Structures are given as structure tokens and as C-alpha cells.
Amino acid sequence: RLSTESSFNEAIKWQRLFGGSLIFIGAMDGRKPSEPLRENQIKNIEFLKVIDRTDVDISGSKYDVNPNSPMFGKIVQYKVKMHVGSSYIEMLLHHTRVIPFFNDPIPMPSRLGVEESLKYFGMSSLQSVYEDIRDLGGVTQTTINILYEFIISRIRIKDLKKILSMEGGEAAIAKRLQVMNTTKSVINGMVMDSEDDMGRDYSTVAGLPELIDRFMLKLAGSSRIPVTRLFGRSPAGLNATGENDLRNYYDMIEANQRNRLMPAIRRLVNLICAWKNIKKAPEITFNSLYQLTEDEKAKIDYTTAQTNQIYVNMGALDPDEVRHGTLGLSGTVEIEEATEEDLNSLNPPKEEERQNNVGR
């Protein structure tokens, strides 16, 4: 109902694009948004509102200046713009009612002359790749210009200098070229004087593909995204699969999940648990980014079966234990058959049924 996944996805995009963002939690506890949230009095969570860094007025926000406070140096009340149609309203949001998203911090020596909100939230992810994007765009545009001039017609006209030096010479040359072009389109040939000559010069494109690939690799390196994923191309080279690049990329994503996404999700889950009066918050885990192929799954199952067979032959395990999955290897779930006593403990019989069972 809260569209949590969509809201978090949007917040992360603004975080990487602008350097930071906020998620305003619409928790109803009877207080104003500028006042601290009372988690034990939450009646409902109505909405999640995403606010990007450009709508946060850092200069109008309030900082904690108490050195003994755990929030020292951080914002305790954010001044934000809430857009309503073509206009907006300004309001204060207490830090307990928002989930902040911070991007890569700006080094201290580079903070002179930088916007205050960038100092607080962080710089845009485009900052580190901007020059590489610009260079690749320049190379691409240069290649397009070369293709436009890939074939250049070369026409030799006798006494060209002499004709141009005469009065009306330029008009005579232009008319002559116009006639040549007209006859070319009509008879698919060209009418020229017996002493005129025409040829074609071709531009060379040798080395251009390799040059473009180098700039693509440079951009992929600065963005830390594999070429196969960034440009949607197949791995190139002998025995190249791109698997190592993809694994490194997934490792980076998993690190961002732990360090940046996990605290934000845990904050929201804890508030929902306080709202629903759930004593113990559930454990949060992320799905694996790497999906096993059918061959890889078959190899794991085959290795597990061989291991189980060795244990059975050694007498360390009973075949029934392996069959029921009590070994617990390779992520299998431990399963045991439920007895009648176990079922009765889950659904205790009524008193009359218990007396009849005792009689029987």
C-alpha cells in the first residue's frame, strides 16, 4: 500500500543524480511534522513522500549545535519545499520523520565555493564520470563528421583561376557545376569538358573502432559499470564471458545495499513494527544478485549427492536422514516427520476428545 519499493527506488535515483534525497514518512502520531515523532503512539503510516536535494533549503534548516548530542553537527529540522501543482509550500520536517539518503562526500579541500547542500548530502554520481561522458560524446560526434565526409568529390576544371579572375567568373563556375549535377541526376552520368576531370577522395576509418572502444572502457571504469551492462554489448575477445566484471559489479552493489540501503529499510521496518506493536523486528536480507544457470544448479546438486553418498557409505549418516533432508547441506531445509504428539501440541484436543482418547 505504501509503494515502498517504488519510493526507495526513486529516492536512490535522486540521491545519485543530485547528491542526496529524503523520504518523508507520513506517520500519524497526533503531532506536527516539525515535532519529534513519538514511535509508541503511531496510529497509522499514511504515505511515503520522496524529496530530492534541490527542494531542501539547507540554510533555512536547523542544526544540532550541542557537542554532547549524538546529532551534533547534523540537521534536526529540514526546511523543504512541498510541491502542490504549479506552486509549493515550505515546511519544517523533524529528522525523526524522514529517512535521509547521502551520496559520496566531497573532500574537505574541495569544499570551497561548493553549494552548502552538496557539502551536507554529497556530490552527484555524475561528477566523476562527466568528463568521460563528454570525451566519448566528442569522439562519437567526430566519427559522425568523418562519415559525413567519407566520400568527397574532386573536380578539376581547366583555367579555373583565370575564369574566377574574370568578371562574372564565380557565377559561370556555379552555373557549370549546376549543369554537371543536373545531368548526373538525369542520365546517371556527368557531362564535362574534354579537359575537365573528376575523381573521389575517401577518408580512412582505420583504427576508429578501437579508439571508440578505449573511450567506452574509460567510461565504464569511472562509472564502475561493466561495458556489457553499460552499453548492452556482448563480451569481446577470445574466451571472454564478462563474468568477472559482472561479479565485481555485483560486489559493489551488495556493498551499497549494506552500507546505504540497509539502514534506510531498517528504519522504516522498525517504525512499522512500533506501529503494529511487533516486539521483535524481522531480519532483513537481500536477494542474491547472481542467478545460477541450470548447468550450475545441476553441478551443485550432483556434488551434494556425491557428498551424501560418501557419508552414507562411511556410516556417518542414515539413508533416511539424507532422504528427508536433515543433513542441511547446500541450503536444503531440515525436515522431520511430525508425530501425533507434535500435532496435538499445536492443536490441543478438547476435553471430551481427550477423555475419549484416554478411554480408547
Side-chain angles (χ1 to χ4, degrees), residues 132-149:
D132 293 329
I133 293 177
R134 181 194 60 190
D135 294 341
L136 180 59
V139 171
T140 304
Q141 186 60 49
T142 302
T143 304
I144 294 175
N145 295 336
I146 292 176
L147 294 178
Y148 284 150
E149 300 180 357

Side-chain angles (χ1 to χ4, degrees), residues 8 99 260-270 284 286:
F8 273 72
I99 301 177
R260 294 182 176 178
L261 187 56
M262 178 65 78
I265 295 179
R266 185 178 290 115
R267 169 63 177 162
L268 180 61
V269 169
N270 289 340
I284 303 172
F286 291 101

Side-chain angles (χ1 to χ4, degrees), residues 297-327:
K297 293 178 181 178
K299 289 180 180 179
I300 293 177
D301 293 340
Y302 180 72
T303 304
T304 303
Q306 286 184 320
T307 304
N308 293 344
Q309 183 63 45
I310 293 174
Y311 286 147
V312 171
N313 295 338
M314 293 173 56
L317 287 176
D318 187 84
D320 289 338
E321 292 179 322
V322 177
R323 182 171 64 254
H324 292 301
T326 56
L327 187 60

Side-chain angles (χ1 to χ4, degrees), residues 232-266:
R233 56 181 291 183
S234 301
L238 186 62
N239 297 327
T241 61
E243 183 177 347
N244 291 334
D245 295 340
L246 198 59
R247 285 186 179 276
N248 292 334
Y249 175 68
Y250 284 161
D251 290 342
M252 181 194 69
I253 296 298
E254 289 177 350
N256 288 333
Q257 287 177 338
R258 292 193 307 270
N259 299 327
R260 294 182 176 178
L261 187 56
M262 178 65 78
I265 295 179
R266 185 178 290 115

Side-chain angles (χ1 to χ4, degrees), residues 24-292:
F24 173 34
I25 305 173
M28 305 294 111
D29 64 336
R31 284 188 169 188
K32 298 179 180 179
S34 59
E35 298 176 339
L37 176 64
R38 295 179 294 189
E39 298 184 5
N40 59 345
Q41 297 184 15
I42 296 178
K43 300 296 188 298
N44 191 17
I45 297 180
E46 295 288 350
F47 59 85
L48 298 177
K49 174 66 176 176
V50 181
I51 306 171
D52 65 71
R53 178 193 60 82
T54 60
D55 287 335
V56 180
D57 184 5
I58 294 295
S59 60
S61 302
K62 297 182 180 180
Y63 286 82
D64 190 339
V65 295
N66 181 11
N68 297 323
S69 172
M71 288 290 295
F72 175 64
K74 297 182 180 179
I75 294 178
V76 293
Q77 283 184 327
Y78 292 89
K79 185 178 180 181
V80 301
K81 298 178 181 178
M82 304 294 289
H83 292 271
V84 181
S86 58
S87 61
Y88 64 88
I89 58 175
E90 294 183 345
M91 58 188 305
L92 291 175
L93 300 179
H94 198 268
H95 74 92
T96 57
R97 298 180 182 271
V98 300
I99 301 177
F101 289 80
F102 300 94
N103 213 38
D104 299 331
I106 300 178
M108 292 299 298
S110 304
R111 293 193 173 189
L112 295 177
V114 177
E115 187 179 346
E116 191 66 27
S117 60
L118 290 176
K119 296 179 184 179
Y120 186 80
F121 283 104
M123 62 181 179
S124 170
S125 297
L126 291 178
Q127 186 69 33
S128 59
V129 300
Y130 173 75
E131 293 185 358
D132 293 329
I133 293 177
R134 181 194 60 190
D135 294 341
L136 180 59
V139 171
T140 304
Q141 186 60 49
T142 302
T143 304
I144 294 175
N145 295 336
I146 292 176
L147 294 178
Y148 284 150
E149 300 180 357
F150 183 71
I151 301 177
I152 302 177
S153 299
R154 172 176 35 83
I155 302 176
R156 290 190 178 94
I157 300 177
K158 184 181 179 181
D159 299 330
L160 177 62
K161 293 182 180 180
K162 183 179 179 180
I163 297 174
L164 291 175
S165 63
M166 297 170 56
E167 184 178 355
E170 293 183 2
I173 293 296
K175 184 177 181 181
R176 190 170 181 177
L177 293 176
Q178 182 180 2
V179 171
M180 295 170 63
N181 188 55
T182 303
T183 57
K184 176 185 176 183
S185 62
V186 174
I187 64 175
N188 198 22
M190 186 170 291
V191 178
M192 296 185 298
D193 189 86
S194 59
E195 297 184 1
D196 292 342
D197 183 28
M198 179 181 176
R200 294 181 182 275
D201 292 334
Y202 298 88
S203 300
T204 177
V205 293
L208 275 180
E210 292 77 9
L211 181 63
I212 296 176
D213 284 346
R214 294 298 181 271
F215 280 91
M216 292 172 64
L217 288 173
K218 190 169 180 288
L219 177 59
S222 60
S223 63
R224 295 180 294 178
I225 302 176
V227 176
T228 55
R229 189 176 185 89
L230 184 60
F231 295 99
R233 56 181 291 183
S234 301
L238 186 62
N239 297 327
T241 61
E243 183 177 347
N244 291 334
D245 295 340
L246 198 59
R247 285 186 179 276
N248 292 334
Y249 175 68
Y250 284 161
D251 290 342
M252 181 194 69
I253 296 298
E254 289 177 350
N256 288 333
Q257 287 177 338
R258 292 193 307 270
N259 299 327
R260 294 182 176 178
L261 187 56
M262 178 65 78
I265 295 179
R266 185 178 290 115
R267 169 63 177 162
L268 180 61
V269 169
N270 289 340
L271 288 180
I272 294 177
C273 291
W275 164 32
K276 295 296 184 178
N277 197 24
I278 300 175
K279 301 301 181 181
K280 184 179 180 181
E283 182 182 357
I284 303 172
T285 58
F286 291 101
N287 293 332
S288 175
L289 297 170
Y290 188 81
Q291 301 298 326
L292 296 177

